[in-house]
Amino acid sequence: MPDLASFDYAIVRVVPRVERAEFVNAGVILFCRTQGLLEARIALDPKRLRAIAPGIDLEEVEGHLRLIPCICRGGTQAGPIGLLSPSERFHWLTAPRSTVIQTSPVHSGLCTDTIATLERLLQQAVT
């Protein structure tokens, strides 16, 4: 039987008007402590977002979303947050917020291939 790895993940959401609580799923963040893996995939559907927020600044939103994988990779290019451990970066990314970019509650699972699982979650929840 293959080795199972436990992981945590959250869905990245774009919430154009927080008071309405409408959102479009835009990506997935996955953290596997035992593998030291913190990865994100972003796949925003601009048409879906414009359907609930016709006047949204799409370039600004996409710019913020591009920061998420950068923070996951860590390092100085991700600013002070990039210098934190993968666990600390995951918890920072998934902390509850009242902003346009939010995440779902954190969920847990088991898998044999974390990258394949990340891609599957992206397909199921976003695309």
mmCIF file of all heavy atoms in Angstrom, residues 24-55:
data_model
loop_
_atom_site.group_PDB
_atom_site.id
_atom_site.type_symbol
_atom_site.label_atom_id
_atom_site.label_comp_id
_atom_site.label_asym_id
_atom_site.label_seq_id
_atom_site.Cartn_x
_atom_site.Cartn_y
_atom_site.Cartn_z
ATOM 1 N N VAL A 24 -16.483 34.117 -6.342
ATOM 2 C CA VAL A 24 -16.082 33.228 -7.422
ATOM 3 C C VAL A 24 -14.827 32.502 -6.948
ATOM 4 O O VAL A 24 -13.867 33.152 -6.503
ATOM 5 C CB VAL A 24 -15.783 34.027 -8.717
ATOM 6 C CG1 VAL A 24 -15.163 33.132 -9.782
ATOM 7 C CG2 VAL A 24 -17.043 34.705 -9.231
ATOM 8 N N ASN A 25 -14.831 31.187 -7.022
ATOM 9 C CA ASN A 25 -13.628 30.428 -6.676
ATOM 10 C C ASN A 25 -12.554 30.711 -7.716
ATOM 11 O O ASN A 25 -12.829 30.718 -8.916
ATOM 12 C CB ASN A 25 -13.931 28.933 -6.618
ATOM 13 C CG ASN A 25 -14.789 28.559 -5.427
ATOM 14 O OD1 ASN A 25 -14.939 29.343 -4.487
ATOM 15 N ND2 ASN A 25 -15.350 27.379 -5.447
ATOM 16 N N ALA A 26 -11.341 30.955 -7.242
ATOM 17 C CA ALA A 26 -10.262 31.372 -8.142
ATOM 18 C C ALA A 26 -8.984 30.562 -7.991
ATOM 19 O O ALA A 26 -8.035 30.778 -8.730
ATOM 20 C CB ALA A 26 -9.955 32.845 -7.919
ATOM 21 N N GLY A 27 -8.930 29.631 -7.041
ATOM 22 C CA GLY A 27 -7.705 28.870 -6.873
ATOM 23 C C GLY A 27 -7.748 27.963 -5.661
ATOM 24 O O GLY A 27 -8.752 27.907 -4.947
ATOM 25 N N VAL A 28 -6.635 27.268 -5.455
ATOM 26 C CA VAL A 28 -6.499 26.345 -4.331
ATOM 27 C C VAL A 28 -5.100 26.500 -3.745
ATOM 28 O O VAL A 28 -4.118 26.639 -4.484
ATOM 29 C CB VAL A 28 -6.687 24.876 -4.782
ATOM 30 C CG1 VAL A 28 -6.517 23.915 -3.614
ATOM 31 C CG2 VAL A 28 -8.043 24.671 -5.441
ATOM 32 N N ILE A 29 -5.022 26.476 -2.425
ATOM 33 C CA ILE A 29 -3.744 26.457 -1.702
ATOM 34 C C ILE A 29 -3.686 25.120 -0.970
ATOM 35 O O ILE A 29 -4.640 24.756 -0.267
ATOM 36 C CB ILE A 29 -3.646 27.604 -0.685
ATOM 37 C CG1 ILE A 29 -3.861 28.951 -1.355
ATOM 38 C CG2 ILE A 29 -2.304 27.561 0.044
ATOM 39 C CD1 ILE A 29 -4.064 30.097 -0.361
ATOM 40 N N LEU A 30 -2.575 24.401 -1.125
ATOM 41 C CA LEU A 30 -2.424 23.101 -0.469
ATOM 42 C C LEU A 30 -1.121 23.083 0.323
ATOM 43 O O LEU A 30 -0.084 23.518 -0.171
ATOM 44 C CB LEU A 30 -2.414 21.980 -1.515
ATOM 45 C CG LEU A 30 -2.375 20.565 -0.943
ATOM 46 C CD1 LEU A 30 -3.286 19.646 -1.742
ATOM 47 C CD2 LEU A 30 -0.963 20.020 -0.924
ATOM 48 N N PHE A 31 -1.210 22.578 1.548
ATOM 49 C CA PHE A 31 -0.052 22.479 2.436
ATOM 50 C C PHE A 31 0.065 21.054 2.941
ATOM 51 O O PHE A 31 -0.888 20.484 3.469
ATOM 52 C CB PHE A 31 -0.203 23.439 3.617
ATOM 53 C CG PHE A 31 0.858 23.299 4.668
ATOM 54 C CD1 PHE A 31 2.199 23.466 4.354
ATOM 55 C CD2 PHE A 31 0.526 22.995 5.971
ATOM 56 C CE1 PHE A 31 3.188 23.332 5.317
ATOM 57 C CE2 PHE A 31 1.498 22.867 6.952
ATOM 58 C CZ PHE A 31 2.841 23.035 6.616
ATOM 59 N N CYS A 32 1.246 20.457 2.778
ATOM 60 C CA CYS A 32 1.549 19.130 3.308
ATOM 61 C C CYS A 32 2.766 19.269 4.214
ATOM 62 O O CYS A 32 3.892 19.420 3.735
ATOM 63 C CB CYS A 32 1.817 18.136 2.179
ATOM 64 S SG CYS A 32 2.216 16.478 2.782
ATOM 65 N N ARG A 33 2.530 19.237 5.509
ATOM 66 C CA ARG A 33 3.605 19.450 6.493
ATOM 67 C C ARG A 33 4.703 18.398 6.368
ATOM 68 O O ARG A 33 5.888 18.722 6.395
ATOM 69 C CB ARG A 33 3.017 19.436 7.905
ATOM 70 C CG ARG A 33 4.038 19.707 8.998
ATOM 71 C CD ARG A 33 3.428 19.659 10.394
ATOM 72 N NE ARG A 33 2.253 20.493 10.538
ATOM 73 C CZ ARG A 33 2.277 21.810 10.764
ATOM 74 N NH1 ARG A 33 3.437 22.431 10.865
ATOM 75 N NH2 ARG A 33 1.162 22.483 10.903
ATOM 76 N N THR A 34 4.332 17.137 6.200
ATOM 77 C CA THR A 34 5.343 16.076 6.178
ATOM 78 C C THR A 34 6.251 16.173 4.956
ATOM 79 O O THR A 34 7.389 15.725 4.999
ATOM 80 C CB THR A 34 4.696 14.680 6.227
ATOM 81 O OG1 THR A 34 3.797 14.540 5.122
ATOM 82 C CG2 THR A 34 3.962 14.461 7.536
ATOM 83 N N GLN A 35 5.765 16.762 3.875
ATOM 84 C CA GLN A 35 6.580 16.935 2.674
ATOM 85 C C GLN A 35 7.171 18.339 2.576
ATOM 86 O O GLN A 35 7.913 18.628 1.643
ATOM 87 C CB GLN A 35 5.747 16.641 1.426
ATOM 88 C CG GLN A 35 5.296 15.210 1.338
ATOM 89 C CD GLN A 35 4.432 14.952 0.120
ATOM 90 O OE1 GLN A 35 4.205 15.823 -0.707
ATOM 91 N NE2 GLN A 35 3.946 13.726 0.010
ATOM 92 N N GLY A 36 6.811 19.208 3.520
ATOM 93 C CA GLY A 36 7.275 20.590 3.464
ATOM 94 C C GLY A 36 6.774 21.307 2.214
ATOM 95 O O GLY A 36 7.418 22.219 1.715
ATOM 96 N N LEU A 37 5.614 20.895 1.725
ATOM 97 C CA LEU A 37 5.078 21.414 0.472
ATOM 98 C C LEU A 37 3.991 22.452 0.726
ATOM 99 O O LEU A 37 3.055 22.205 1.485
ATOM 100 C CB LEU A 37 4.492 20.263 -0.353
ATOM 101 C CG LEU A 37 3.874 20.691 -1.664
ATOM 102 C CD1 LEU A 37 4.795 20.309 -2.804
ATOM 103 C CD2 LEU A 37 2.522 20.055 -1.854
ATOM 104 N N LEU A 38 4.145 23.601 0.112
ATOM 105 C CA LEU A 38 3.113 24.637 0.115
ATOM 106 C C LEU A 38 3.011 25.127 -1.325
ATOM 107 O O LEU A 38 3.956 25.718 -1.856
ATOM 108 C CB LEU A 38 3.482 25.781 1.058
ATOM 109 C CG LEU A 38 2.519 26.969 1.096
ATOM 110 C CD1 LEU A 38 1.098 26.535 1.462
ATOM 111 C CD2 LEU A 38 3.020 28.041 2.055
ATOM 112 N N GLU A 39 1.885 24.836 -1.962
ATOM 113 C CA GLU A 39 1.686 25.169 -3.380
ATOM 114 C C GLU A 39 0.306 25.785 -3.571
ATOM 115 O O GLU A 39 -0.613 25.500 -2.810
ATOM 116 C CB GLU A 39 1.754 23.908 -4.253
ATOM 117 C CG GLU A 39 3.090 23.258 -4.320
ATOM 118 C CD GLU A 39 3.899 23.674 -5.539
ATOM 119 O OE1 GLU A 39 3.336 24.294 -6.456
ATOM 120 O OE2 GLU A 39 5.092 23.373 -5.542
ATOM 121 N N ALA A 40 0.200 26.584 -4.595
ATOM 122 C CA ALA A 40 -1.098 27.153 -4.966
ATOM 123 C C ALA A 40 -1.246 27.102 -6.470
ATOM 124 O O ALA A 40 -0.269 27.201 -7.216
ATOM 125 C CB ALA A 40 -1.214 28.592 -4.483
ATOM 126 N N ARG A 41 -2.477 26.952 -6.902
ATOM 127 C CA ARG A 41 -2.841 27.059 -8.308
ATOM 128 C C ARG A 41 -3.961 28.085 -8.403
ATOM 129 O O ARG A 41 -4.920 28.033 -7.623
ATOM 130 C CB ARG A 41 -3.333 25.728 -8.882
ATOM 131 C CG ARG A 41 -2.317 24.614 -8.865
ATOM 132 C CD ARG A 41 -1.201 24.852 -9.876
ATOM 133 N NE ARG A 41 -0.316 23.716 -9.987
ATOM 134 C CZ ARG A 41 0.733 23.487 -9.218
ATOM 135 N NH1 ARG A 41 1.037 24.338 -8.234
ATOM 136 N NH2 ARG A 41 1.497 22.429 -9.389
ATOM 137 N N ILE A 42 -3.824 29.000 -9.331
ATOM 138 C CA ILE A 42 -4.822 30.047 -9.539
ATOM 139 C C ILE A 42 -5.386 29.893 -10.948
ATOM 140 O O ILE A 42 -4.628 29.705 -11.904
ATOM 141 C CB ILE A 42 -4.200 31.457 -9.364
ATOM 142 C CG1 ILE A 42 -3.560 31.601 -7.980
ATOM 143 C CG2 ILE A 42 -5.231 32.552 -9.632
ATOM 144 C CD1 ILE A 42 -4.523 31.482 -6.809
ATOM 145 N N ALA A 43 -6.702 29.976 -11.064
ATOM 146 C CA ALA A 43 -7.362 29.864 -12.370
ATOM 147 C C ALA A 43 -8.656 30.677 -12.330
ATOM 148 O O ALA A 43 -9.759 30.128 -12.288
ATOM 149 C CB ALA A 43 -7.647 28.406 -12.712
ATOM 150 N N LEU A 44 -8.522 31.979 -12.340
ATOM 151 C CA LEU A 44 -9.689 32.857 -12.280
ATOM 152 C C LEU A 44 -10.418 32.853 -13.621
ATOM 153 O O LEU A 44 -9.798 32.994 -14.672
ATOM 154 C CB LEU A 44 -9.252 34.286 -11.938
ATOM 155 C CG LEU A 44 -10.360 35.344 -11.925
ATOM 156 C CD1 LEU A 44 -11.383 35.040 -10.839
ATOM 157 C CD2 LEU A 44 -9.768 36.728 -11.742
ATOM 158 N N ASP A 45 -11.732 32.722 -13.572
ATOM 159 C CA ASP A 45 -12.571 32.831 -14.765
ATOM 160 C C ASP A 45 -13.106 34.262 -14.812
ATOM 161 O O ASP A 45 -14.042 34.601 -14.080
ATOM 162 C CB ASP A 45 -13.721 31.828 -14.696
ATOM 163 C CG ASP A 45 -14.606 31.854 -15.923
ATOM 164 O OD1 ASP A 45 -14.610 32.861 -16.673
ATOM 165 O OD2 ASP A 45 -15.323 30.860 -16.137
ATOM 166 N N PRO A 46 -12.540 35.127 -15.657
ATOM 167 C CA PRO A 46 -12.951 36.535 -15.689
ATOM 168 C C PRO A 46 -14.427 36.724 -16.024
ATOM 169 O O PRO A 46 -15.073 37.612 -15.475
ATOM 170 C CB PRO A 46 -12.068 37.160 -16.773
ATOM 171 C CG PRO A 46 -10.977 36.196 -17.030
ATOM 172 C CD PRO A 46 -11.462 34.849 -16.600
ATOM 173 N N LYS A 47 -14.973 35.885 -16.888
ATOM 174 C CA LYS A 47 -16.399 36.010 -17.256
ATOM 175 C C LYS A 47 -17.286 35.754 -16.051
ATOM 176 O O LYS A 47 -18.265 36.460 -15.829
ATOM 177 C CB LYS A 47 -16.753 35.050 -18.387
ATOM 178 C CG LYS A 47 -16.174 35.438 -19.714
ATOM 179 C CD LYS A 47 -16.591 34.453 -20.788
ATOM 180 C CE LYS A 47 -15.921 34.789 -22.107
ATOM 181 N NZ LYS A 47 -16.256 33.813 -23.146
ATOM 182 N N ARG A 48 -16.955 34.749 -15.292
ATOM 183 C CA ARG A 48 -17.744 34.420 -14.098
ATOM 184 C C ARG A 48 -17.674 35.566 -13.090
ATOM 185 O O ARG A 48 -18.674 35.946 -12.483
ATOM 186 C CB ARG A 48 -17.212 33.127 -13.493
ATOM 187 C CG ARG A 48 -18.107 32.541 -12.441
ATOM 188 C CD ARG A 48 -17.580 31.226 -11.956
ATOM 189 N NE ARG A 48 -17.800 30.205 -12.974
ATOM 190 C CZ ARG A 48 -17.290 28.983 -12.912
ATOM 191 N NH1 ARG A 48 -16.519 28.630 -11.910
ATOM 192 N NH2 ARG A 48 -17.537 28.112 -13.855
ATOM 193 N N LEU A 49 -16.462 36.143 -12.923
ATOM 194 C CA LEU A 49 -16.306 37.244 -11.980
ATOM 195 C C LEU A 49 -17.083 38.476 -12.447
ATOM 196 O O LEU A 49 -17.787 39.109 -11.667
ATOM 197 C CB LEU A 49 -14.833 37.583 -11.786
ATOM 198 C CG LEU A 49 -14.522 38.712 -10.803
ATOM 199 C CD1 LEU A 49 -15.115 38.427 -9.425
ATOM 200 C CD2 LEU A 49 -13.025 38.933 -10.712
ATOM 201 N N ARG A 50 -16.976 38.786 -13.726
ATOM 202 C CA ARG A 50 -17.696 39.959 -14.254
ATOM 203 C C ARG A 50 -19.212 39.789 -14.180
ATOM 204 O O ARG A 50 -19.942 40.767 -14.124
ATOM 205 C CB ARG A 50 -17.253 40.263 -15.670
ATOM 206 C CG ARG A 50 -15.861 40.859 -15.722
ATOM 207 C CD ARG A 50 -15.698 41.716 -16.966
ATOM 208 N NE ARG A 50 -14.322 42.115 -17.170
ATOM 209 C CZ ARG A 50 -13.764 43.173 -16.605
ATOM 210 N NH1 ARG A 50 -14.444 43.910 -15.780
ATOM 211 N NH2 ARG A 50 -12.514 43.472 -16.862
ATOM 212 N N ALA A 51 -19.697 38.560 -14.151
ATOM 213 C CA ALA A 51 -21.141 38.318 -14.043
ATOM 214 C C ALA A 51 -21.689 38.821 -12.708
ATOM 215 O O ALA A 51 -22.824 39.289 -12.642
ATOM 216 C CB ALA A 51 -21.446 36.833 -14.211
ATOM 217 N N ILE A 52 -20.877 38.736 -11.651
ATOM 218 C CA ILE A 52 -21.362 39.217 -10.350
ATOM 219 C C ILE A 52 -20.802 40.587 -9.993
ATOM 220 O O ILE A 52 -21.270 41.218 -9.050
ATOM 221 C CB ILE A 52 -21.084 38.209 -9.211
ATOM 222 C CG1 ILE A 52 -19.591 38.022 -8.963
ATOM 223 C CG2 ILE A 52 -21.785 36.897 -9.467
ATOM 224 C CD1 ILE A 52 -19.265 37.253 -7.698
ATOM 225 N N ALA A 53 -19.788 41.034 -10.754
ATOM 226 C CA ALA A 53 -19.166 42.335 -10.466
ATOM 227 C C ALA A 53 -18.714 42.976 -11.777
ATOM 228 O O ALA A 53 -17.519 42.998 -12.085
ATOM 229 C CB ALA A 53 -17.992 42.157 -9.519
ATOM 230 N N PRO A 54 -19.652 43.520 -12.548
ATOM 231 C CA PRO A 54 -19.310 44.057 -13.870
ATOM 232 C C PRO A 54 -18.235 45.143 -13.850
ATOM 233 O O PRO A 54 -17.450 45.244 -14.792
ATOM 234 C CB PRO A 54 -20.628 44.617 -14.391
ATOM 235 C CG PRO A 54 -21.692 44.024 -13.548
ATOM 236 C CD PRO A 54 -21.070 43.624 -12.247
ATOM 237 N N GLY A 55 -18.155 45.927 -12.822
ATOM 238 C CA GLY A 55 -17.207 47.036 -12.790
ATOM 239 C C GLY A 55 -15.896 46.743 -12.080
ATOM 240 O O GLY A 55 -15.094 47.647 -11.867
#
